[in-house]
Amino acid sequence: MTDLSPLRRLHRVQELDLGLDRLRDEEQNFPDDLRAARAEQERLNNDLEDTEITLEGVDRRVRQQEQDLSGTREQIARAAEEQEKNAFDARAQSQYGSRIQQLGERADEMEEDLLPLRERQRELNERAADLRAQHRALRPSLNEMEEKDESRIQDLRAQGEADRQERAGLVSDLDARTVREYDMIRKAKKGLGVVEIRNGRCTGCNVVLPVNVQQKAALGKLPPVKCPSCGRFLIRLDLD
């Protein structure tokens, strides 16, 4: 390729770049089964995280309720002890009895409040366990698909190795400033930094080019002539 003119070499660089672009695009073209498995894994992870966060909140409420219930029961026990030691008449007995009854009713209410919380706690624990089981069941097949896809990607990269080496050789023989400008144009113009003049038109944007621009571009010299409309480098491939 080194016997080509500089602009022809740059055009060849673009051909290689476009081929490498296609290979990179193909790398991202994941198989449908892998894409679905990844989505399922993400769903399971998200559901498990949400479930564990909710469970953590319920656990805190259960612990607090149990502590409160335990404290109330201790108050009942102390009140009963004090009643036995200090209630020497009917009035004192009645006062202690009323206090114990109030505390007992409060304890009963706490027990009732705990029932739905404990049921919710049980449901969340079961759901978390089920989600973990689904995640474990998915992992072997997902790992197998990931390994297979990694092999696919390595094959694609191997296919492009010769093109990358050829490109590096061509670029080394070109003016670095021109190559940088080409890269910038290509990035901004949908992958095309060098376009052919055909029938007096820029094939990049289809604008009719002034005759003097066509004539200057036909010389094939650097720095390349640019299309006055789209700014791409222009080349005449019909002149051999």
Side-chain angles (χ1 to χ4, degrees):
M1 291 294 178
T2 55
D3 59 334
L4 296 176
S5 68
L7 195 54
R8 289 273 184 158
R9 287 202 295 272
L10 187 61
H11 186 263
R12 175 58 183 164
V13 167
Q14 179 169 271
E15 289 178 339
L16 295 169
D17 283 340
L18 292 172
L20 292 169
D21 286 346
R22 285 190 291 271
L23 288 176
R24 279 190 290 270
D25 289 342
E26 183 61 26
E27 279 189 29
Q28 301 304 314
N29 188 22
F30 302 112
D32 289 341
D33 57 349
L34 175 58
R35 197 184 303 275
R38 285 176 175 173
E40 177 65 7
Q41 183 187 56
E42 183 177 5
R43 183 191 69 79
L44 290 171
N45 287 338
N46 291 337
D47 285 355
L48 180 57
E49 182 179 6
D50 291 344
T51 300
E52 288 178 337
I53 289 172
T54 304
L55 177 59
E56 184 179 352
V58 173
D59 284 342
R60 282 197 301 268
R61 292 175 62 190
V62 168
R63 286 195 298 271
Q64 185 61 54
Q65 286 281 80
E66 288 176 341
Q67 288 174 4
D68 293 344
L69 177 59
S70 177
T72 300
R73 285 172 174 164
E74 289 176 0
Q75 291 180 52
I76 294 172
R78 285 195 300 270
E81 290 177 2
E82 291 174 1
Q83 181 186 40
E84 185 176 350
K85 292 178 181 179
N86 303 321
F88 301 114
D89 55 39
R91 180 180 178 185
Q93 285 284 349
S94 176
Q95 289 176 340
Y96 278 110
S98 177
R99 173 64 175 161
I100 292 170
Q101 182 179 357
Q102 290 175 355
L103 290 171
E105 290 174 353
R106 185 186 304 172
D108 290 342
E109 291 175 358
M110 290 179 179
E111 285 280 12
E112 291 179 2
D113 292 341
L114 267 171
L115 289 176
L117 282 175
R118 285 171 174 158
E119 177 62 20
R120 180 62 173 154
Q121 187 181 47
R122 182 191 63 78
E123 292 173 353
L124 289 168
N125 275 312
E126 288 180 355
R127 174 155 180 76
D130 180 59
L131 289 168
R132 292 189 193 99
Q134 291 182 56
H135 194 282
R136 286 193 299 272
L138 175 63
R139 193 176 302 141
S141 60
L142 178 58
N143 288 343
E144 183 179 348
M145 284 185 277
E146 292 284 11
E147 290 174 3
K148 183 177 178 181
D149 194 62
E150 180 60 26
S151 177
R152 176 187 70 86
I153 289 173
Q154 293 303 321
D155 287 345
L156 289 170
R157 291 177 181 174
Q159 290 176 36
E161 184 57 31
D163 287 352
R164 282 189 288 271
Q165 292 181 5
E166 182 183 347
R167 185 190 194 280
L170 289 167
V171 167
S172 67
D173 292 330
L174 291 169
D175 173 63
R177 181 176 178 180
T178 300
V179 174
R180 284 196 300 271
E181 190 172 6
Y182 153 78
D183 286 334
M184 291 174 61
I185 295 171
R186 204 176 87 85
K187 184 177 180 181
K189 297 293 182 179
K190 300 180 181 180
L192 292 177
V194 184
V195 292
E196 184 182 358
I197 297 174
R198 194 178 300 150
N199 298 324
R201 292 179 177 272
C202 167
T203 54
C205 62
N206 203 36
V207 162
V208 176
L209 298 167
V211 174
N212 66 316
V213 172
Q214 296 182 50
Q215 292 173 340
K216 190 175 180 180
L219 299 176
K221 295 181 179 180
L222 296 182
V225 177
K226 292 183 180 179
C227 171
S229 174
C230 67
R232 295 181 174 94
F233 290 157
L234 295 169
I235 187 171
R236 287 283 299 273
L237 296 176
D238 58 338
L239 298 178
D240 288 318

